[in-house]
């Protein structure tokens, strides 16, 4: 270790293809700004969080250690000030480093803009050793190594998608808003005058029908009071409830609510704030949801409403390749439970139709609603009616989620395939359960405890499947990212994405089971094939030779709307 090494948050030899740093979101954006792509990394904060909470490693020193710097959450996509200094090489532990020569590092200030301490290089080296020890001593070291690698690769992909941005046609977005909402208002945004003309007209109609001239249709309490004054038994403004009411104000109110959602979520204010130089740059939070699904810290990155899909437009000479995984969670459940009959029902075809063909159910709609009930704990209605048939056909799959639900009801931890574990219910949960066990407990206390127990069981039932599906998606992202880069710089017109992606197909958007790639049009078919191959590889990584497949719906188009159909 060089004696002149400056403290910093990045460690690793210059020639190594894998780096360890305290947070990808802290360091990678600056490298991308300089046109530098990192092939692989170990995100110490993400790995620390995973291993500290995993039941596979609950006997490790890491699991028992007091809270420290690596437990602090890093800000998503935080820019890192430029600095200079020497990096410290990392020993070959979690990642095999072939060249241990020293290189230039990226040391930074000891705290970030939010006051969170940044570990120095020595602390990062110690953390790598602690993580490696936790994995080596775990009950499933191979699974945890894959989980840590996949989560770290996901962090790289998230930063790259933010850097490249989703190509956006602001003129088309403005046209869509004007067609649906009417002309944009010039009034201050915080006042009713900010409503575009069609929304303003609907608001006036609602006021007139309810004889409420000062009604604010964006205020839930105001609307409920006005509806009740009109003699309507409204308990909420949910659309399904409003549709059950008979009054001339209901139709314009429903129309207003629909336009208001678009205006508030993706209207002109959103366009002005989030689309810059023809790019929407999502701010992803990797592992932002307890199951491992990604979250978003702003801009509504995890929703692109149908109305504005035509505004997502590829650069001239480029296309968008959109890929959706079909029935991802049921297929993951088949692999988790090693249920061969369920896997066979979806082999190379629509899983729900396969269930019909296997005479498990009579109609595709029954298969879908029944499987949703199995995954989310449906106990009433159409779901409950069909569940016994699915349980008889696929006893291993249904037994797997039932076991997870029972564990949750007992307050126990459940774990995904690769090792992400659910949190334990909190002190309030335990108190409700204790109150119900009191000899003098009331029926209400017992009822509350039963309801709480069932609710936590529904959570753990879905946790194991949704979390493992998130792991499949991480492996898919990592493999797509690797394959796209391997294609190299392609012939054709350069796109408007910044380097290092100006002449390369690159990921621009991700949503749970969907990926969007921006590619030169001439290479769209090649990209489609690589995305499909990556899905198959993700399945192999998680489930080995077990015969469960992950078919994709893949299409290319100039706009997101074209590709989605």
């Amino acid at each position: 270790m060089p004696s002149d090494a400056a403290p910093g948050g990045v460690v690793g030899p210059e020639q190594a293809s894998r780096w360890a740093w305290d947070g990808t979101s802290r360091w990678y954006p600056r490298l991308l700004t300089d046109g530098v792509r990192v092939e692989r990394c170990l995100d110490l904060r993400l790995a620390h969080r995973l291993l500290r909470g995993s039941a596979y490693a609950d006997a490790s020193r890491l699991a028992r250690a007091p809270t420290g710097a690596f437990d602090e959450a890093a800000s998503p996509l935080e820019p890192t000030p430029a600095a200079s200094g020497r990096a410290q090489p990392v020993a070959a532990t979690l990642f095999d480093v072939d060249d241990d020569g020293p290189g230039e590092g990226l040391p930074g200030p000891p705290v970030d803009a939010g006051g969170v301490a940044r570990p120095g290089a020595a602390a990062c080296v110690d953390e790598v050793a602690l993580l490696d020890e936790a994995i080596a001593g775990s009950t499933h070291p191979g699974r945890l190594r894959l989980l840590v690698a996949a989560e770290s690769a996901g962090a790289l992909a998230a930063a790259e998608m933010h850097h490249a941005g989703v190509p956006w046609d602001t003129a088309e977005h403005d046209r869509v808003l004007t067609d649906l909402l009417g002309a944009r208002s010039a009034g201050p945004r915080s006042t009713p005058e900010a409503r575009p003309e069609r929304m303003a007209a609907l608001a006036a109609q609602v006021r007139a029908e309810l004889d409420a001239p000062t009604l604010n249709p964006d205020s839930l309490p105001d609307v409920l009071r006005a509806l009740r004054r009109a003699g309507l038994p409204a308990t909420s403004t949910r659309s399904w409830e409003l549709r059950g009411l008979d009054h001339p104000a209901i139709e314009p109110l429903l129309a207003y609510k629909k336009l208001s959602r678009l205006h508030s979520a993706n209207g002109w204010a959103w366009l002005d704030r989030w689309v810059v130089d023809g790019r929407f740059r999502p701010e992803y939070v990797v592992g932002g949801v307890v199951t491992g699904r990604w979250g978003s810290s702003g801009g509504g990155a995890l929703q692109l409403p149908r109305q504005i899909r035509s505004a997502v437009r590829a650069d001239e000479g480029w296309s968008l390749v959109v890929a959706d995984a079909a029935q991802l969670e049921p297929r993951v459940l088949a692999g988790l439970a090693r249920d061969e009959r369920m896997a066979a029902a979806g082999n190379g075809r629509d899983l729900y139709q396969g269930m019909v063909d296997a005479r498990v159910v009579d109609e595709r709609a029954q298969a879908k609603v029944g499987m949703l009930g199995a995954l989310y704990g449906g106990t009433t209605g159409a779901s409950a009616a069909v569940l016994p048939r699915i349980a008889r056909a696929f006893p291993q799959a249904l037994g797997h989620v039932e076991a997870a639900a029972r564990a949750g009801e007992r307050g126990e931890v459940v774990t995904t395939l690769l090792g992400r574990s659910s949190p334990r219910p909190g002190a309030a949960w335990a108190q409700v359960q204790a109150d119900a066990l009191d000899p003098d407990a009331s029926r209400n206390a017992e009822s509350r405890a039963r309801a709480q127990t069932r609710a936590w069981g529904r959570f753990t039932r879905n946790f194991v499947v949704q979390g493992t599906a998130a792991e499949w998606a991480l492996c898919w992202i990592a493999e797509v990212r690797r394959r796209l880069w391997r294609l190299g710089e392609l012939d054709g017109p350069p796109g408007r994405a910044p380097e290092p992606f100006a002449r390369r197909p690159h990921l621009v958007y991700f949503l749970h089971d969907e990926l969007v790639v921006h590619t030169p049009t001439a290479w769209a078919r090649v990209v489609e094939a690589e995305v499909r191959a990556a899905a198959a590889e993700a399945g192999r990584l998680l489930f080995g030779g077990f015969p469960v497949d992950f078919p994709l719906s893949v299409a290319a188009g100039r706009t997101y709307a074209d590709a989605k159909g």
Side-chain angles (χ1 to χ4, degrees), residues 18-38:
R18 287 173 278 197
W19 292 77
W21 46 34
D22 69 310
T24 302
S25 61
R26 296 185 187 278
W27 299 103
Y28 196 27
R30 203 198 82 178
L31 292 173
L32 288 168
T33 298
D34 292 340
V36 176
R37 177 185 180 272
V38 169

Side-chain angles (χ1 to χ4, degrees), residues 373-412:
L375 295 172
Y376 291 92
T379 57
T380 59
S383 176
V386 76
L387 267 176
R389 299 176 65 178
I390 295 177
R392 286 193 297 270
F394 310 131
Q396 290 169 269
L398 271 291
H400 192 90
V401 289
E402 285 296 329
R406 301 292 85 78
E409 290 174 0
R410 294 190 298 268
E412 298 170 1

